[in-house]
Amino acid sequence: MNLLIHREYSYRASSFVSLYADRIEFTSIGGLLSGVTLNDVMMGISVCRNVKLANIFYRLELIEAYGTEMRKIREVYAETGKKPEIETSENAFKIILPNLNVRTETTKSPVNKPAEEDQEEMIISLAKRQGAFTRKEVQEELGISQSTSGRLLKKMIGNGQIIQEGKGRNTHYRISE
């Protein structure tokens, strides 16, 4: 709603809502009003560029009150470890909101993730227990991402520690003999 209410409509440029897997970005044309700083906005100060439009949104109960959104955004992200980013220029205002439902590699991994050498030892141990194993089993056993497990397996193949057998879904690994 803020993108529409605070936009500078005298410019013929577009506003943007860009969706990504890990974030959503809102870019509004017009920047901050003269005399208003980003610190002012973060404190909840709202100087409305389009008062009539804001009043319509308020009467339709699409917005609650002026100047509350930044506080609400900060509260939502307060204990998540992720922070919204704000960029401003004379003619644009952009807010980037991280997707709180995305699990990054650091949130998937255990807090005390084993060092790479220990991970290699854990893979060798898995191979001794099972004989053959898959990348997915390594991923689950070590609590690492798909890309990290693939990179680790390629390194171990290159070092001659393990061998790869099969292709595609039938790919599995064994200890080199």
Side-chain angles (χ1 to χ4, degrees):
M1 296 295 142
N2 281 339
L3 183 82
L4 299 172
I5 293 170
H6 293 292
R7 180 194 154 85
E8 174 57 71
Y9 285 97
S10 65
Y11 293 125
R12 297 184 59 85
S14 299
S15 292
F16 297 99
V17 178
S18 303
L19 295 170
Y20 302 93
D22 63 337
R23 69 192 183 282
I24 186 169
E25 297 180 1
F26 298 92
T27 306
S28 182
I29 301 305
L32 297 174
L33 286 171
S34 179
V36 178
T37 67
L38 184 55
N39 285 338
D40 296 333
V41 172
M42 297 308 290
M43 289 185 339
I45 293 171
S46 179
V47 179
C48 193
R49 178 177 274 133
N50 302 299
V51 177
K52 290 180 181 178
L53 183 60
N55 285 335
I56 291 169
F57 278 59
Y58 181 76
R59 287 185 195 147
L60 292 172
E61 298 180 7
L62 296 172
I63 60 173
E64 293 177 18
Y66 305 135
T68 61
E69 291 306 313
M70 287 303 177
R71 178 181 49 81
K72 287 179 185 177
I73 290 170
R74 282 198 317 262
E75 287 173 2
V76 167
Y77 285 92
E79 296 182 25
T80 66
K82 298 180 180 183
K83 288 189 175 188
E85 296 175 39
I86 299 174
E87 300 173 17
T88 62
S89 72
E90 270 186 51
N91 301 308
F93 181 93
K94 180 185 222 178
I95 184 163
I96 303 166
L97 302 174
N99 184 344
L100 295 177
N101 296 313
V102 168
R103 293 179 56 162
T104 59
E105 189 171 318
T106 56
T107 58
K108 281 189 229 172
S109 301
V111 174
N112 296 319
K113 186 174 90 173
E116 193 168 296
E117 299 80 32
D118 295 333
Q119 289 176 335
E120 291 175 12
E121 288 178 26
M122 292 171 75
I123 292 171
I124 297 296
S125 176
L126 175 67
K128 288 178 180 174
R129 276 195 324 265
Q130 293 184 194
F133 61 93
T134 65
R135 184 221 24 93
K136 186 168 184 159
E137 289 172 325
V138 168
Q139 180 181 338
E140 291 169 358
E141 178 91 6
L142 275 63
I144 57 178
S145 72
Q146 178 179 342
S147 58
T148 301
S149 60
R151 192 170 40 251
L152 188 56
L153 290 169
K154 282 182 185 175
K155 179 183 175 204
M156 292 180 73
I157 291 168
N159 291 343
Q161 296 168 286
I162 60 173
I163 57 170
Q164 177 180 335
E165 298 175 336
K167 295 268 184 199
R169 289 180 177 250
N170 295 321
T171 302
H172 56 277
Y173 305 88
R174 296 185 186 277
I175 295 177
S176 295
E177 297 174 15

